[in-house]
Amino acid sequence: MLNFDVLIIGSGLAGMTLALHLAEQRKVCVVTKRDLLEGSSTYAQGGIAAVLDTGDSAEAHIRDTLIAGAGLCDEEATRFIVEHSKAAIDWLIELGVPFTRDDSHQTGYHLTREGGHSHRRIIHAADATGAAVTSTLGQKLRAHPNITLLEEHIAVDLITARKLGLAGERCYGAYVLDKAGDKVLTVAARDTIIASGGAGKVYLYTTNPDTATGDGIAMGWRAGCRVGNMEFIQFHPTCLYHPHSKSFLISEAVRGEGGILKLPDGTRFMPEHDERAELAPRDVVARAIDFEMKKHGLDCVYLDISYKPASFVREHFPNIYAHCLELGIDITQQPIPVVPAAHYTCGGLVTDLAGRTDVAGLFAVGEAACTGLHGANRLASNSLLECMVVGRAAADVILTAPAIELPVIPDWDDSQVTDPDEEVVISHNWDELRRAMWDYVGIVRTTKRLKRALHRIELLKLEIDEYYSHFHVSNDLIELRNLVLTAELIVRSAMARHESRGLHYSRDYPDTLPRAEPTVLAPDAP
């Protein structure tokens, strides 16, 4: 048995923030499914929203967040996170994150603007902010003597008092599969943090990396945590549409800097859908693109910034420019083919502002959590900010909490299972699940589609649970088990909302109710 003060499941910005704030006083273990830097945080392009300019204000940032969240944001959570935004950015600058400079600006940094924001407040590192942040923090994390890093390891399930036959609701760590050694380890910890990201891979088309399989949300639910607002899946309006490019995001900052959405014949269409045009919030833009594609029978629409000077485009979007050029698309000369794709899970495990869940000793931070900040639609570039502010708050709580004694924890028992005979079951069910979610639980929903999705999910869940109980666990099986449960939570949440609000648009309930209420699901009592 491996024994630590703190176990962090996930190595994105939320997990890194916690690890670095805790490691001076605690022995920390970070479990990550692949390489340390392989996660959604690394792929974040646009930047981090923060009140840095004297012409901006916390009240303006809060107001923009509440408007984008379609009345469902928790105002206390929003205020807490926004008011701590500058301190979070100062911490990153102190650690050496190379944000793009602008010596003519009062802050010394270039601030861009994205959809839904009333001010330029997005601090960024060119168009690869996530990579700049995680690589900088990752070097600190690897060098720290109190941090043990388990790469190529995936958490199987949380170890709880209920599973051990003890009284109360408490988490004591997790069982973790060493993918290289093909062995399940017992990792005990006084505090456990789920920082494993969202569930974009539940959909056929997503901007997320392959690691985004809802693992933390599913494990937390099985451990007894409530989930909130799972129906609100943000579809990013502009994912590159090209047969040789998988899940490449075209940053919202392209529209922020003047990019125009057009039909194949060059007609601009966003002003017909919203007075904010290309700078409308993501749900509005994604639905508009979906509408135009269905109306005209299109495979994609086009995002055009080629009318700007070529030097401007190359300077502001070097990575997007280079990637598109490799595919034969010169974005300084021609528009970019784009489609909407699943991008961000606005709901998750219900937590307070220090990341505490319903289970003692178990925290959730980042995309796996639901603090109430994002409401019915996340405002662009608020996600990395939430990771840092709530991560820091969770670390403060953990450092001041009294120590507990860990119980005796048995090793993982796989004596009653065998090696799988036909792994085609996993690949087939994975494909069927993601297609069903894309077809029936996408940008526009109906009650009939949701019922069809739930019926298929229930059948798949039975098959997967039977498979799980008979065979040795593998990375693919663990992810599929978590994906199908997360899909069920998304569909059940969507069926419970009898209105259209933010990212949830139902043809059967097109109106928005006068009172905004979160959707909260609770696991059955043991």
Side-chain angles (χ1 to χ4, degrees):
M1 185 173 77
L2 301 175
N3 199 318
F4 297 92
D5 296 320
V6 181
L7 168 62
I8 299 172
I9 300 171
S11 65
L13 183 54
M16 287 182 172
T17 298
L18 271 150
L20 291 173
H21 282 304
L22 289 168
E24 292 305 313
Q25 300 179 51
R26 297 287 187 272
K27 291 209 171 294
V28 178
C29 175
V30 177
V31 169
T32 185
K33 287 202 285 189
R34 293 194 179 176
D35 175 85
L36 174 63
L37 302 184
E38 179 62 25
S40 293
S41 293
T42 296
Y43 290 94
Q45 292 178 347
I48 305 171
V51 180
L52 304 172
D53 188 333
T54 54
D56 196 5
S57 68
E59 294 305 320
H61 189 172
I62 291 166
R63 183 171 61 250
D64 292 344
T65 301
L66 298 180
I67 291 170
L72 202 61
C73 299
D74 182 292
E75 193 162 346
E76 180 189 357
T78 304
R79 181 169 297 279
F80 176 79
I81 292 166
V82 167
E83 289 181 348
H84 287 82
S85 62
K86 186 177 185 303
I89 299 302
D90 288 345
W91 179 66
L92 291 180
I93 292 172
E94 185 182 320
L95 291 177
V97 175
F99 290 115
T100 297
R101 303 284 308 188
D102 180 356
D103 293 333
S104 67
H105 193 272
Q106 64 184 63
T107 62
Y109 293 96
H110 183 267
L111 303 180
T112 191
R113 184 180 171 193
E114 294 180 347
H117 288 276
S118 57
H119 289 77
R120 283 183 172 266
R121 65 167 68 100
I122 317 300
I123 190 168
H124 61 100
D127 59 349
T129 307
V133 172
T134 56
S135 62
T136 302
L137 270 58
Q139 290 172 15
K140 309 278 186 190
L141 196 142
R142 285 190 187 278
H144 204 291
N146 276 352
I147 297 176
T148 298
L149 179 60
L150 298 181
E151 293 175 288
E152 297 294 335
H153 285 65
I154 179 171
V156 182
D157 240 337
L158 299 170
I159 300 168
T160 60
R162 187 191 306 178
K163 286 185 180 175
L164 298 176
L166 303 175
E169 296 285 342
R170 186 166 189 98
C171 183
Y172 296 108
Y175 290 113
V176 175
L177 174 66
D178 175 355
K179 295 197 286 185
D182 200 26
K183 180 183 179 183
V184 177
L185 310 174
T186 305
V187 183
R190 290 162 179 79
D191 291 289
T192 301
I193 295 101
I194 289 172
S196 53
K201 292 299 285 188
V202 79
Y203 286 96
L204 188 60
Y205 301 109
T206 177
T207 63
N208 292 177
D210 290 342
T211 53
T213 52
D215 302 326
I217 295 169
M219 286 190 292
W221 173 266
R222 289 193 294 264
C225 298
R226 291 170 299 152
V227 296
N229 294 341
M230 286 296 294
E231 69 270 38
F232 298 113
I233 303 296
Q234 187 175 78
F235 288 79
H236 197 288
T238 54
C239 182
L240 178 64
Y241 179 75
H242 193 281
H244 299 137
S245 182
K246 179 183 175 185
S247 306
F248 187 77
L249 178 67
I250 304 299
S251 170
E252 183 139 357
V254 174
R255 285 182 285 125
E257 294 295 341
I260 296 170
L261 285 163
K262 297 179 177 180
L263 298 175
D265 65 1
T267 304
R268 186 183 184 190
F269 59 85
M270 273 310 302
E272 296 177 14
H273 293 270
D274 193 282
E275 62 183 13
R276 293 164 290 186
E278 282 79 8
L279 288 177
R282 289 175 178 177
D283 62 320
V284 176
V285 181
R287 271 199 304 278
I289 294 173
D290 184 68
F291 174 86
E292 296 292 344
M293 287 172 61
K294 286 182 168 64
K295 177 182 175 182
H296 298 287
L298 305 173
D299 291 327
C300 65
V301 296
Y302 294 86
L303 180 60
D304 191 4
I305 198 166
S306 63
Y307 70 94
K308 292 270 192 178
S311 59
F312 174 91
V313 175
R314 286 193 293 266
E315 179 186 347
H316 281 75
F317 309 109
N319 292 288
I320 294 173
Y321 171 77
H323 184 80
C324 289
L325 198 61
E326 287 176 5
L327 300 169
I329 304 166
D330 183 348
I331 68 173
T332 68
Q333 301 292 324
Q334 61 196 114
I336 310 165
V338 294
V339 292
H343 182 60
Y344 192 85
T345 309
C346 288
L349 300 173
V350 174
T351 73
D352 67 8
L353 293 180
R356 286 174 286 216
T357 69
D358 298 323
V359 176
L362 180 63
F363 297 73
V365 182
E367 196 174 350
C370 180
T371 61
L373 170 67
H374 304 308
N377 182 22
R378 175 178 71 93
L379 181 65
S381 292
N382 268 352
S383 52
L384 295 182
L385 176 64
E386 182 188 40
C387 288
M388 290 188 293
V389 173
V390 180
R392 175 66 180 268
D396 290 343
V397 167
I398 290 168
L399 290 173
T400 55
I404 64 158
E405 288 296 320
L406 290 171
V408 175
I409 300 174
D411 287 337
W412 180 261
D413 182 8
D414 58 1
S415 60
Q416 304 300 310
V417 297
T418 61
D419 290 328
D421 49 3
E422 288 188 331
E423 294 196 20
V424 69
V425 173
I426 294 177
S427 59
H428 175 82
N429 286 355
W430 175 283
D431 187 60
E432 186 176 340
L433 173 68
R434 297 177 69 213
R435 287 183 182 279
M437 288 295 289
W438 184 260
D439 290 340
Y440 299 138
V441 200
I443 296 171
V444 176
R445 299 162 180 176
T446 66
T447 301
K448 182 183 280 188
R449 289 179 192 172
L450 293 174
K451 286 180 177 177
R452 284 175 176 163
L454 185 60
H455 177 66
R456 281 161 173 76
I457 287 167
E458 286 173 339
L459 292 174
L460 288 170
K461 197 175 169 199
L462 285 172
E463 278 189 26
I464 294 162
D465 285 347
E466 181 186 18
Y467 196 93
Y468 180 83
S469 65
H470 284 89
F471 300 113
H472 289 293
V473 294
S474 65
N475 181 84
D476 290 351
L477 176 56
I478 293 166
E479 289 185 333
L480 179 60
R481 180 179 181 236
N482 292 330
L483 269 181
V484 76
L485 175 52
T486 306
E488 181 185 10
L489 295 173
I490 292 169
V491 174
R492 290 193 183 279
S493 298
M495 292 176 74
R497 185 164 294 279
H498 293 169
E499 64 166 350
S500 290
R501 183 182 297 275
L503 301 166
H504 174 75
Y505 184 81
S506 169
R507 282 187 179 163
D508 296 309
Y509 301 99
D511 298 326
T512 301
L513 296 176
R515 183 178 173 86
E517 296 284 356
T519 304
V520 178
L521 304 182
D524 295 333

